[in-house]
Each structure stands twice: as C-alpha cells, then as structure tokens.
C-alpha cells in the first residue's frame, strides 16, 4: 500500500525499558488514547499494523518497523476499532459518529459509509472478506454484504450491553462477540442467534483471537481464560494479580500479553503456568490494547498516552 493522508511523524526508538532487552519502537502520531490495535496477516507486501484512536483517525503502519504509511481521515468522532482485510487492501473502521466506514487501504479513500443509530465500537471483516460485522452501543451485531453495501444488513440481537469485540472464527458460520456482560457469545450467522456462551465469572473486558485462529482469549476482572476456537471448550484459565483490560495470545510463543487500566505496564505471561516473564515499562498512560505480530516475534501496545509501542518478544532464558 502507498502513502496517503496527512503527514505524520516517523517512528523513533526510546530507551525506557527496565529489562535488558531491545528498546521498544515508539510510534507517535495519535493525539488521544489508542483503544484498538491489530496486525494484518502476512501479505505479498509484508504485514501491517492498524490502530484506531479517540482523535478520530485510524493509522496504518509497516508492521516490522512501525513506519507510518497513512491515516484514514473522515470520521467526525472517536474511532474505536480499525481492521484490515486478509490482503490488507481494505480497511474497516467503527466510530462514535454513528458510522462504520470501508476504506481503500492503498489510497486511503472512503469506499462506503454504513449508518448506525448509535456509537459503533467494532467493525471486522468476515474470514472470506465478503461481509462486514459491526457492533456497538445499540447492543446489536449487523452483517453487511460488501458486494451489496447499500442493502439492508442482517441483524443479530440479544446482547445486554454495548458490543465492543467481534471475532470471526475458523467456522465461517460462527462469530464470537464480547460485551460488558458475563460471558462471550457465540453466534450462528445462518440463524442470527446465540448458540453458545464462553462462560466468564465477571463482565468481559476484552476478547481476542490468536493469529492462527485457534485460540480465543477473554479477560474479565483479573482472570484470563483461553478457549478453543474449534469447539469453544476452555483450555486454560489464570488468575492474575491485576485487573486485565486487554489480552493477546500467540500459540507459537506459548505466551500471552496483557494491559490494564490500573497501571502503565505491558506484562507477558507463560501460557502453561501463568507466571510473569516480562514487565515492559515506558507508556505514560494505561495500556488500552495489545496485539502480537504474525510470527509472535513482537507485540504491540496502544495506550492512553496516544503512542503505540512495539516490543520484541524475548523468550525467557531457562536455567538448569
């Protein structure tokens, strides 16, 4: 994808990490909190990092360096979510201006705007890229046919709170949503109904899926749970010392990373034991979002401080 949008500052490295690891790449440019970040799949042009921000913009960056590529400018309110399709040629955004938008990720131009009746918190492409799922303060999930963007969407109802997370699964007929209610819902897009609940003790704070689509992670209170994306059975649960507001897991590293509204650090944990293996310091505000890159060698964090930091994953050394 080429450059587009307004010019932003490039990335810089900063020496603010306590541990003897490479310094993070610091990606400036946003001016308000960054509630959502996500890595694309690997494409012919490499992979990309997409971020949304309460400053009303989404930004696209080169995934390995953090170099700014372009900003998606056109929303009239906070952007809560931004996602790229499989080949990173399209971007979808969800915003507080009661719209979701579809963009060309090559030029940065808006291709379509999808009107809603309240704040939109999530906009995610289906696995095949033919549909767009949206959710938000209406407590509904809409399914738009991107081949017929002006057609009325299908609607799934039943959530009791604003839908903040939508996850396509390995089964093209099933998606998972996270809202401020106990349990993440599994929906069948054929019947437009909830068919299962991933049980959590408290309200879901975050729901994410691993890069290979095999594991769904949920955080609620100070608990992180991992579920199989194939059969939705719980495969791991860890109670951690702090409240967890965002979580990402990568099967290749067998580790997960977290952020919290209650502190400024990005923590990494061993998947099997739940033991903390890294504590990354440098953000000047709570961490609102975390994501692993495709191969698990790095993970990124988005913060209240308006920056994104890319941390190198260093496997903990083992001693006899």
């Amino acid at each position: 994808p080429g450059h587009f949008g307004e010019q932003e500052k490039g990335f810089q490295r900063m020496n603010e990490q306590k541990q003897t690891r490479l310094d993070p790449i610091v990606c400036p440019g946003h001016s308000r909190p960054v509630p959502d970040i996500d890595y694309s799949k690997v494409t012919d042009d490499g992979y990309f990092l997409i971020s949304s921000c309460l400053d009303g913009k989404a930004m696209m960056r080169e995934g390995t360096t953090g170099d700014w590529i372009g900003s998606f400018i056109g929303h009239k309110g906070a952007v809560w979510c931004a996602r790229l399709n499989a080949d990173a040629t399209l971007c979808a955004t969800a915003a507080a201006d009661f719209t979701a938008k579809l963009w060309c990720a090559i030029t940065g131009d808006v291709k379509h705007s999808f009107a809603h009746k309240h704040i939109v918190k999530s906009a995610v492409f289906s696995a095949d890229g033919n549909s767009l799922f949206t959710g938000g303060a209406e407590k509904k999930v809409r399914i738009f046919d991107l081949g017929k963007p002006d057609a009325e969407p299908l609607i799934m109802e039943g959530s009791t709170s604003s839908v903040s997370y939508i996850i396509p699964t390995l089964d093209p007929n099933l998606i998972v949503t996270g809202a401020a209610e106990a349990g993440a819902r599994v929906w069948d897009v054929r019947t437009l109904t909830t068919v299962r609940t991933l049980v959590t003790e408290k309200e879901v704070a975050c729901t994410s899926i691993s890069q290979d689509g095999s594991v769904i992670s949920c955080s609620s209170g100070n608990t992180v749970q991992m579920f199989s994306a194939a059969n939705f059975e719980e495969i791991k649960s860890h109670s951690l010392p702090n409240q967890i507001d965002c979580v990402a897991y990568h099967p290749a590293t067998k580790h997960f990373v977290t952020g919290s509204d209650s502190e400024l650090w990005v923590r990494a944990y061993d998947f099997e034991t739940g033991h903390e293996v890294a504590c990354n310091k440098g953000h000047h505000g709570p961490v609102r979002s975390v994501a692993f890159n495709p191969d698990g060698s790095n993970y990124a964090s988005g913060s209240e401080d308006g920056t994104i930091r890319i941390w190198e994953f260093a496997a903990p050394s083992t001693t006899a």
Side-chain angles (χ1 to χ4, degrees), residues 43-312:
T43 74
D44 292 341
D45 296 313
Y47 64 89
F48 304 92
L49 179 63
I50 187 84
S51 60
S52 65
C53 184
L54 303 191
D55 62 10
K57 294 182 291 189
M59 285 189 183
M60 186 172 175
R61 300 176 185 275
E62 203 282 323
T64 57
T65 65
D67 279 340
W68 176 81
I69 293 174
S71 299
F72 298 93
I73 300 172
H75 279 296
K76 293 178 170 54
V79 179
W80 286 99
C81 177
R83 289 290 187 273
L84 295 166
N85 67 344
D87 62 4
T89 58
L90 296 173
C91 173
T93 53
D97 61 6
F98 295 13
T99 70
K101 292 185 186 294
L102 180 70
W103 310 74
C104 174
I106 310 296
T107 65
D109 296 331
V110 177
K111 296 176 69 70
H112 198 82
S113 186
F114 302 92
H116 292 65
K117 297 177 182 177
H118 211 314
I119 293 168
V120 190
K121 299 293 289 288
S122 184
V124 179
F125 291 98
S126 60
D128 62 11
N130 294 328
S131 302
L132 184 69
F133 302 112
T134 67
E138 290 181 79
K139 307 175 186 178
K140 301 175 181 178
V141 176
R142 286 177 167 83
I143 308 173
F144 293 94
D145 183 344
L146 295 182
K148 304 173 185 175
D150 291 314
E152 286 296 311
L154 300 173
I155 296 178
M156 301 192 292
E157 300 186 68
S159 291
T160 60
S161 184
S162 177
V163 177
S164 297
Y165 298 93
I166 302 174
I167 297 172
T169 71
L170 296 172
D171 185 332
N173 297 311
L174 301 177
I175 65 168
V176 175
T177 61
E181 59 185 1
R185 295 172 182 261
V186 182
W187 303 80
D188 191 318
V189 301
R190 297 165 297 188
T191 61
L192 307 179
T193 57
T194 301
V195 293
R196 184 159 180 170
T197 300
L198 307 184
V199 177
T200 63
E201 287 189 13
K202 298 181 178 180
E203 289 184 356
V204 173
C206 174
T207 308
S208 64
I209 193 165
S210 58
Q211 275 279 350
D212 65 356
S214 67
V215 177
I216 296 166
S217 301
C218 291
S219 65
S220 62
N222 67 334
T223 301
V224 171
Q225 294 164 266
M226 278 75 172
F227 300 86
S228 165
N231 60 20
F232 304 110
E233 295 291 333
E234 184 182 276
I235 55 179
K236 194 66 69 174
S237 178
H238 294 296
S239 292
L240 303 175
N242 302 300
Q243 169 186 321
I244 304 301
D245 292 290
C246 53
V247 59
Y249 168 66
H250 201 293
T253 68
K254 287 288 186 181
H255 288 81
F256 62 95
V257 295
T258 65
S260 174
D261 285 347
S262 65
E263 62 178 12
L264 312 182
W265 304 341
V266 183
R267 298 179 186 267
Y269 297 88
D270 182 278
F271 171 76
E272 295 295 342
T273 66
H275 293 160
E276 183 178 306
V277 298
C279 178
N280 300 294
K281 299 182 179 181
H283 280 300
H284 301 291
V287 176
R288 295 282 299 271
S289 49
V290 288
F292 269 102
N293 72 345
D295 66 6
S297 60
N298 295 307
Y299 48 90
S301 54
S303 169
E304 290 272 355
D305 66 15
T307 68
I308 298 162
R309 291 172 186 252
I310 301 174
W311 313 85
E312 182 174 9

